[in-house]
């Protein structure tokens, strides 16, 4: 079946959309990437008052609907939504909130929509993140088995996360800390709102790492906590930066230091790996990629594109996979990665134009994901 996946990540810079052909082949999900693109993020979305929450939920739902329509003919839409708050206290996730009302998607497309995919895992004692661990564990299992060493899937968005897939072991996953979150916050302030991110690492390239500031940032207790764990912009934000630098955010040296912070904290989570398979917006920053390569100290770094999954659209394809699994009655969380009490069916289903007709639940447990290349390759909007 053809499934549209939509998501807006923690960087809140665009709505990502992907169209995948998905089918079950015994214990394997076969995912064929067909198309992916980006849609503008709705301007001026605020989430303070009840009125602003209502407006944001509506406008985001409408934006996801427009993105889903652009993907063409499909059978199902899956939406990971926009995370606006992730409630973590003392290392436990107590709640999570994603906006982007699925009724707008169902109304616009006429298709059933699987949405609100994180909260069931949280209700079961998990973090609701990183849900990428589901895709990663299925996808990289054979690679880890063939090399005899762990394969690590890395995504660098606003928050960076990893999934460690070791031969014969349950996957372990967690948020490593800030990916682009602190970098973007610093650049936005340094440019007085004119830049949202450090294009091509221009500012970081001109700066030098400040050892004392880096040591202060690395002393954050979050990094020492054991997995599973999750975090968000509720923690790593501009106020956090102001406190760390004791006043006004500095210049290029600060940006260079934040690049090194992201690289070091990611590399610390990848020790002993045979290969790191990376994706996400952070991989577009050549200074960050160079810093990460140095910090990995010989561990091979490749992009998910090299294994058939477009790095710019990996999380949108993840959304499609999660929706497909729910539709077929297959638990879509990895409890060892999220910390949930056990496997759970994720999300809720909003009917489309027609009455719901769910297929019979899959009879065989799903243990593998295979990426299949379509004739002519995937297409992406220029």
């Amino acid at each position: 079946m053809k499934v549209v996946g939509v998501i807006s990540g923690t960087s809140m810079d665009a709505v990502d959309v992907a169209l995948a052909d998905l089918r079950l082949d015994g214990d394997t999900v076969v995912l064929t990437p067909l198309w992916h693109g980006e849609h503008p993020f709705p301007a001026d979305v605020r989430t303070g008052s009840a009125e602003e929450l209502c407006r944001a939920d509506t406008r985001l739902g409408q934006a996801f609907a427009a993105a889903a329509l652009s993907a063409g003919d499909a059978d199902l839409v899956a939406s990971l939504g926009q995370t606006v708050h992730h409630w973590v206290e003392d290392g436990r996730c107590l709640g999570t909130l994603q906006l982007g009302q699925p009724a707008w998607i169902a109304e616009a497309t006429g298709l059933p929509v699987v949405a609100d995919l994180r909260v069931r895992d949280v209700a079961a004692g998990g973090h609701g993140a990183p849900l990428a661990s589901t895709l990663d564990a299925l996808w990289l299992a054979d690679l880890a088995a063939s090399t005899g060493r762990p394969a690590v899937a890395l995504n660098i968005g606003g928050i960076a996360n990893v999934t460690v897939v070791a031969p014969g072991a349950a996957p372990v996953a967690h948020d490593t800390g800030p990916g682009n979150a602190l970098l973007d916050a610093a650049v936005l302030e340094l440019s007085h709102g004119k830049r949202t991110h450090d294009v091509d690492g221009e500012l970081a390239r001109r700066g030098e790492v400040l050892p004392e500031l880096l040591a202060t940032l690395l002393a954050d207790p979050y990094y020492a906590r054991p997995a599973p764990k999750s975090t968000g912009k509720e923690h790593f934000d501009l106020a956090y930066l102001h406190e760390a630098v004791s006043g006004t955010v500095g210049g290029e040296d600060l940006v260079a230091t934040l690049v090194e912070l992201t690289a070091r904290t990611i590399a610390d989570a990848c020790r002993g790996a045979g290969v790191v398979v990376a994706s996400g917006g952070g991989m577009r920053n050549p200074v960050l990629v160079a810093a990460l390569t140095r910090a990995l100290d010989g561990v091979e770094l490749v992009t998910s594109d090299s294994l058939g999954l477009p790095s710019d659209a990996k999380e949108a394809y993840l959304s499609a996979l999660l929706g497909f699994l729910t539709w077929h009655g297959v638990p879509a969380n990895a409890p060892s990665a999220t910390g949930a009490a056990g496997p759970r069916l994720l999300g809720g289903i909003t009917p489309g134009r027609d009455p719901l007709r769910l297929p019979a639940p899959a009879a065989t447990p799903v243990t593998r994901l295979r990426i299949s290349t379509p004739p002519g390759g995937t297409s992406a909007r220029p």
Side-chain angles (χ1 to χ4, degrees):
M1 68 185 303
K2 290 182 179 179
V3 184
V4 178
V6 290
I7 181 176
S8 177
T10 51
S11 292
M12 298 176 70
D13 54 358
V15 176
D16 295 327
V17 57
L19 177 64
D21 184 88
L22 290 140
R23 62 183 176 86
L24 288 170
D25 182 9
D27 68 346
T28 301
V29 175
V30 181
L31 187 159
T32 305
L34 299 177
W35 176 88
H36 64 273
E38 289 185 353
H39 274 244
F41 191 84
D44 198 27
V45 170
R46 294 185 295 269
T47 58
S49 67
E51 178 183 358
E52 288 172 343
L53 280 172
C54 180
R55 289 177 182 272
D57 196 31
T58 298
R59 292 180 66 190
L60 286 165
Q62 292 168 340
F64 294 151
L69 281 170
S70 72
D73 292 337
D75 304 300
L76 178 70
V77 179
S79 173
L80 267 166
Q82 171 65 59
T83 298
V84 294
H85 193 75
H86 196 62
W87 180 18
V88 178
E89 290 184 8
D90 299 323
R92 292 182 59 230
C93 184
L94 303 179
T96 189
L97 179 62
Q98 285 71 47
L99 297 185
Q101 174 54 241
W104 291 101
I105 308 173
E107 186 66 23
T109 63
L111 300 175
V113 181
V114 182
D116 208 14
L117 288 153
R118 298 187 189 278
V119 72
R120 181 63 187 277
D121 184 85
V122 173
H127 281 259
L131 289 184
S133 57
T134 299
L135 185 154
D136 298 334
L138 296 173
W139 180 37
L140 299 182
D142 288 339
L143 176 62
S146 66
T147 62
R149 298 183 65 188
V152 176
L154 163 67
N155 185 73
I156 310 177
I159 300 298
N161 61 70
V162 295
T163 305
V164 181
V165 183
V172 176
H174 64 276
D175 291 339
T176 62
N180 300 313
L182 293 181
L183 281 165
D184 292 350
V187 170
L188 189 65
E189 176 146 309
L190 286 168
S191 67
H192 305 288
K194 295 178 181 177
R195 294 187 182 187
T196 58
H197 62 286
D198 187 13
V199 179
D200 294 330
E202 177 187 347
L203 296 175
R205 186 178 287 108
R206 296 203 300 258
E208 294 185 4
V209 175
L210 302 172
E212 290 186 6
L213 176 58
L214 179 61
T216 297
L217 293 167
L218 286 170
D220 188 308
Y222 177 78
Y223 302 122
R225 288 179 184 151
K229 59 182 178 179
S230 62
T231 188
K233 286 185 172 181
E234 300 78 21
H235 182 62
F236 294 109
D237 59 6
L238 187 59
Y240 177 94
L241 265 187
H242 278 292
E243 183 176 351
V245 300
S246 302
T248 304
V249 174
E252 289 93 344
D253 290 348
L254 172 64
V255 180
T257 303
L258 294 175
V259 165
E260 189 67 17
L261 173 71
T262 294
R264 294 264 193 102
T265 51
I266 290 172
D268 285 345
C270 300
R271 303 297 177 202
V275 62
V276 174
V277 183
S279 61
M283 292 300 291
R284 299 176 189 172
N285 183 333
V287 178
L288 175 55
V289 172
L292 179 58
T293 301
R294 289 193 302 271
L296 286 171
D297 194 24
V299 176
E300 184 181 10
L301 176 66
V302 301
T303 66
S304 63
D305 303 80
S306 66
L307 299 181
L309 198 57
S311 59
D312 286 344
K314 183 187 171 190
E315 290 205 315
Y317 283 116
L318 162 68
S319 185
L321 172 67
L322 296 176
F324 176 81
L325 293 176
T326 294
W327 189 255
H328 286 84
V330 178
N333 63 335
S336 64
T338 66
R344 296 291 188 272
L345 287 171
L346 301 184
I349 300 175
T350 300
R353 184 180 301 110
D354 302 321
L356 284 176
R357 293 184 176 86
L358 294 172
T364 303
V366 172
T367 62
R368 295 287 188 275
L369 171 71
R370 185 169 78 246
I371 307 298
S372 175
T373 304
T378 59
S379 61
R381 190 186 325 181

